[in-house]
Amino acid sequence: MVKSAPPENTNRKSSKLEGIKERSNFLREPVATEIQEDTNRFSEEAIQILKFHGSYQQDNRDNRAPGQEKDYQMMLRTRNPGGFIPPQLYLTLDKLSDDYGNHTMRITTRQGFQLHGILKKNLKATIAAIVKNMGSTLGACGDLNRNVMAPAAPFKNKPEYQYAIEYADKIADLLTPQTGAYYEIWLDGEKAISAEESPEVKAARDRNGTGTIFHDSPEPIYGTHYMPRKFKISVTVPGDNSIDLYTQDLSLVVITDDNSQLQGFNVFCGGGLGRTHNKEETFARKADEIGYVSKEDVYDLVKAIVATQRDYGDRVQRRHARLKYLINDWGVDKFRSKVEEYFGKSVEPFRQLPDFKYYDYLGWNEQGDGKLFLGISIENGRVKDEGSFQLKTALRKIVEQFNLDIRLTANHNLIFLDIEPDKKSAIEEILQNHGINSDPEKIEPLVRYAMACPALPTCGLAIAESERAIPGILDRIRKLLNSLGLQKESFVVRMTGCPNGCARPYMAELGFVGSAPDTYQLWLGGCPNQTRLAQPYMQKLKAEELEKQLEPMFAYFKESKETEESFGDFCNRVGFDAIREYAGSYKPKSSTIGKKLRHRVTVRDDVYDKLKQASESQGKPMTEMVNEAIKAYLEAE
């Protein structure tokens, strides 16, 4: 007997957003109506449905003025499984960022692009241009499967990497919303030409028998109410943790035989980092090992896992709605048993895996087929032109001249693919002429492995700076390490402006999580390969007290670390009580500690960036240049 999915939301009170989804007519309203209206903003209901279409309404808080309306603008996010960006799409995004955006693009930590500063009146033209040029924003946000991640390295001589990319694409197709709303609203019903969907994916989406799909529904997998919350998936290969696999709702790890033929996948479930300050019932969580599935059954198991979360995830309390809470409440065994009911068979035992390591694939690399690929480090993912630093122009010229495909990485860097060896010198010349470094060994290690979310001024959830603050924070950390004789040390630093954890600070060796203006929670004890959760060490670290709090623990690290031990591993080994005890009796050695704090003055982003460039070119500290400039200005009055 064919079993249908259960009725949705039976005998249970649902959150307000569940009603908004139900009334949307499968993601159409009120967006379809409001996009036609001559206003500068969307309603609250439309904002929620817009997320499914890949857009957030934001307010540039830098431009707020007392008594004036908010500076409404849209952020638009692309959906690119495995981070793949064809040249046509890249050039389109580059142009759109200038025509309608804030002249920058930002690579996300889920291998997509974000455009900021788009006005409501230009949103339709922007999305239409993306779709017509081999892109999409559908499902980049909202309560459904987000962008499916995979290692960006294009190794042609390592079949497991090709399998990871292939199945990231196919699983993304499997879980793409089927509603026609997206094309109706943004392309007036015209469906753009795109890659043909695999017949096996279409068959898997329609296949039922165990309650995974809704019959006769425009959304056979999602139904009327979609998922309780966002759902994140990655596909990777044994040993490669370039995509932070433990932070995903569902991660698949490619398993091949001795002849490198695909056999199946190991399955992890229940990772997730979003939490809320002072709400102990919310927490970061690592994914658990669930089992193994053969390649023939992988789509059915993915559907079974999605259906379990769809039908049993919490639709009353959104803070408690992610898969990690369901698994935490039930336990892995009960979760696995329920998944097996939808799957129709038992999940096979987990296969042994090697230890996972983090890779960033920067610099020039052999691709395995005679061609090269080039990984370029992009600080905080921000593609921009500023002064002599002309990253945006350089990338555009390379794409225009060499027509190269791109893959974005989970650490918001960028990789050019399929480069002919004889083109290397020409590409290097473009980069050097525009102030871009392609040698990862010349990048400050703290910067190379750091990540920060955009935060202020545009993110509505941000309560502290992040992207704009982290360069200065890293400078101060490096100076402190150098002053203690730890010049060769570096570690993974991540920062977010709120506890939602978009830059994954809870897996860092040193994590900063915004808790108030210029104030952060301090998390310690993650590891270099992002396979262990950090833990909260300090609830409120004021930015001005950074050195005071970090110097004792760095000194303790220098004194007591084991050979080749990283800072995160050290903190995890000795424990927080020992760190606090050492800090309590520590006498400061750094010249920055114990001195009266300097006065703090804020400058605009564009002024700061010019100041930084001038500082680097002239070899003068920024503070000295600011003092000289202000003094000269005041004396001229």
Side-chain angles (χ1 to χ4, degrees):
M1 182 179 73
V2 173
K3 180 181 178 183
S4 185
E8 297 179 82
N9 297 327
T10 303
N11 297 323
R12 54 181 175 176
K13 180 183 177 182
S14 298
S15 69
K16 179 181 177 182
L17 187 51
E18 293 301 312
I20 294 174
K21 288 185 282 186
E22 183 176 13
R23 293 189 297 273
S24 74
N25 186 17
F26 296 99
L27 309 183
R28 290 176 173 82
E29 294 295 347
V31 175
T33 297
E34 293 188 20
I35 195 66
Q36 305 295 331
E37 297 172 349
D38 186 19
T39 62
N40 67 344
R41 62 185 290 267
F42 290 92
S43 68
E44 288 304 313
E45 284 207 8
I47 288 169
Q48 298 304 322
I49 299 304
L50 266 172
K51 293 177 184 179
F52 292 80
H53 296 262
S55 185
Y56 282 80
Q57 182 167 284
Q58 299 183 329
D59 162 34
N60 188 330
R61 285 185 253 179
D62 279 354
N63 295 338
R64 281 186 185 177
Q68 293 185 1
E69 188 178 36
K70 294 179 179 179
D71 181 21
Y72 291 110
Q73 52 185 249
M74 310 304 298
M75 179 271 279
L76 193 60
R77 181 182 296 155
T78 64
R79 172 183 154 295
N80 314 94
F84 181 68
I85 306 284
Q88 178 182 344
L89 176 59
Y90 183 85
L91 295 175
T92 298
L93 293 170
D94 178 89
K95 186 173 189 301
L96 290 170
S97 71
D98 288 333
D99 291 347
Y100 299 134
N102 67 355
H103 305 284
T104 75
M105 300 187 290
R106 196 179 199 277
I107 301 171
T108 76
T109 55
R110 290 199 68 79
Q111 299 181 279
F113 267 119
Q114 286 183 177
L115 301 181
H116 292 263
I118 301 168
L119 300 181
K120 180 195 171 192
K121 66 181 181 180
N122 297 323
L123 185 61
K124 183 172 182 176
T126 304
I127 293 179
I130 289 171
V131 176
K132 289 178 179 178
N133 287 278
M134 304 175 67
S136 178
T137 65
L138 177 61
C141 325
D143 294 347
L144 73 180
N145 175 53
R146 300 289 183 90
N147 198 42
V148 181
M149 299 172 70
F155 293 123
K156 298 298 176 64
N157 58 342
K158 298 180 180 180
E160 62 270 28
Y161 279 86
Q162 298 304 306
Y163 292 134
I165 289 170
E166 175 189 348
Y167 278 83
D169 281 334
K170 290 180 175 178
I171 290 169
D173 286 345
L174 175 72
L175 299 177
T176 295
Q178 298 300 294
T179 175
Y182 187 70
Y183 295 100
E184 291 171 17
I185 294 171
W186 308 113
L187 283 91
D188 298 321
E190 175 191 353
K191 191 157 186 177
I193 298 174
S194 59
E196 193 69 29
E197 184 176 73
S198 168
E200 65 184 282
V201 170
K202 186 179 188 310
R205 186 187 302 114
D206 297 336
R207 188 163 52 244
N208 194 35
T210 53
T212 58
I213 72 168
F214 296 96
H215 294 291
D216 303 318
S217 170
E219 293 286 11
I221 292 179
Y222 292 123
T224 306
H225 295 87
Y226 294 82
M227 299 293 281
R229 283 295 301 271
K230 57 190 171 186
F231 196 88
K232 297 180 177 180
I233 298 177
S234 70
V235 187
T236 189
V237 306
D240 189 324
N241 194 29
S242 60
I243 45 77
D244 264 346
L245 75 102
Y246 287 99
T247 68
Q248 315 282 342
D249 292 272
L250 166 60
S251 281
L252 301 176
V253 182
V254 169
I255 303 296
T256 57
D257 62 17
D258 292 339
N259 296 316
S260 296
Q261 295 298 306
L262 178 64
Q263 298 300 297
F265 303 84
N266 269 351
V267 182
F268 293 80
C269 284
L273 301 186
R275 45 177 293 278
T276 303
H277 286 317
N278 303 316
K279 300 287 184 182
E280 295 305 315
E281 67 273 20
T282 67
F283 47 82
R285 188 180 190 278
K286 258 180 61 175
D288 292 301
E289 298 175 0
I290 300 300
Y292 168 86
V293 62
S294 68
K295 65 178 181 181
E296 292 80 10
D297 291 333
V298 65
Y299 302 126
D300 288 334
L301 183 63
V302 168
K303 284 171 58 185
I305 292 167
V306 168
T308 300
Q309 165 64 358
R310 178 196 68 198
D311 296 339
Y312 293 95
D314 193 338
R315 292 183 184 266
V316 178
Q317 295 289 337
R318 285 185 64 78
R319 285 197 185 106
H320 188 253
R322 290 288 298 276
L323 179 64
K324 64 180 177 180
Y325 296 117
L326 183 65
I327 295 179
N328 190 73
D329 293 347
W330 280 6
V332 172
D333 291 341
K334 179 178 177 180
F335 173 76
R336 186 188 294 111
S337 295
K338 181 58 67 174
V339 168
E340 289 173 342
E341 290 181 24
Y342 285 102
F343 187 38
K345 63 179 77 174
S346 296
V347 175
E348 296 181 45
F350 196 83
R351 305 286 178 90
Q352 185 174 357
L353 291 173
D355 292 339
F356 281 99
K357 295 182 180 180
Y358 169 75
Y359 301 96
D360 61 13
Y361 299 112
L362 296 182
W364 289 96
N365 299 271
E366 296 284 343
Q367 197 167 269
D369 60 353
K371 296 182 180 180
L372 307 173
F373 70 89
L374 171 62
I376 296 176
S377 176
I378 300 179
E379 192 170 340
N380 297 313
R382 187 68 67 176
V383 178
K384 59 185 178 180
D385 284 347
E386 286 181 346
S388 60
F389 179 77
Q390 295 283 301
L391 176 63
K392 193 165 184 284
T393 298
L395 298 182
R396 180 174 63 250
K397 285 185 176 181
I398 290 170
V399 175
E400 287 175 338
Q401 187 169 335
F402 301 100
N403 198 40
L404 297 175
D405 288 333
I406 288 169
R407 285 199 183 272
L408 308 178
T409 81
N411 259 45
H412 48 216
N413 296 321
L414 177 149
I415 294 177
F416 282 121
L417 318 180
D418 299 319
I419 303 171
E420 298 287 352
D422 61 0
K423 301 297 190 295
K424 178 178 178 179
S425 60
I427 292 173
E428 272 293 331
E429 184 177 1
I430 292 174
L431 293 172
Q432 291 173 12
N433 288 344
H434 292 82
I436 313 304
N437 168 46
S438 65
D439 182 356
E441 299 306 315
K442 295 180 180 178
I443 302 171
E444 157 62 58
L446 284 174
V447 174
R448 176 175 178 174
Y449 299 113
M451 289 203 297
C453 69
L456 296 171
T458 53
C459 179
L461 300 175
I463 46 185
E465 293 282 4
S466 183
E467 180 182 341
R468 299 194 294 194
I470 198 169
I473 294 291
L474 295 177
D475 284 345
R476 291 166 66 186
I477 291 174
R478 172 50 66 198
K479 289 175 183 175
L480 182 56
L481 290 171
N482 290 349
S483 73
L484 294 170
L486 293 168
Q487 290 90 341
K488 295 183 179 179
E489 293 295 334
S490 65
F491 34 81
V492 177
V493 182
R494 292 177 177 176
M495 173 177 276
T496 58
C498 83
N500 282 292
C502 292
R504 304 191 289 273
Y506 309 118
M507 302 299 287
E509 296 181 88
L510 183 61
F512 297 89
V513 180
S515 58
D518 294 321
T519 306
Y520 301 85
Q521 276 189 342
L522 186 64
W523 289 64
L524 302 175
C527 58
N529 294 313
Q530 291 101 64
T531 57
R532 181 179 61 237
L533 280 171
Q535 298 297 323
Y537 174 80
M538 187 175 182
Q539 291 300 315
K540 291 187 180 297
L541 168 63
K542 292 188 177 297
E544 61 191 22
E545 297 180 349
L546 180 79
E547 289 83 1
K548 177 181 177 181
Q549 297 299 330
L550 294 187
E551 180 173 323
M553 62 180 73
F554 289 166
Y556 186 25
F557 172 57
K558 178 183 179 182
E559 179 181 305
S560 303
K561 72 186 290 287
E562 296 179 349
T563 304
E564 302 299 322
E565 186 174 37
S566 72
F567 177 67
D569 289 341
F570 167 78
C571 292
N572 183 67
R573 175 175 62 83
V574 302
F576 291 177
D577 288 344
I579 295 174
R580 291 189 177 101
E581 181 179 353
Y582 184 92
S585 59
Y586 178 76
K587 293 184 179 180
K589 299 178 178 61
S590 170
S591 60
T592 62
I593 307 298
K595 285 189 174 183
K596 183 179 177 181
L597 291 170
R598 295 184 176 92
H599 298 292
R600 301 178 70 236
V601 178
T602 301
V603 297
R604 294 198 318 265
D605 284 356
D606 58 332
V607 175
Y608 175 85
D609 292 332
K610 290 178 181 178
L611 177 63
K612 184 178 180 181
Q613 292 167 10
S615 170
E616 292 172 351
S617 64
Q618 297 180 31
K620 286 185 178 181
M622 286 191 285
T623 301
E624 180 182 337
M625 298 186 70
V626 168
N627 286 328
E628 290 176 356
I630 293 176
K631 183 179 178 182
Y633 174 79
L634 293 175
E635 289 177 349
E637 285 290 303

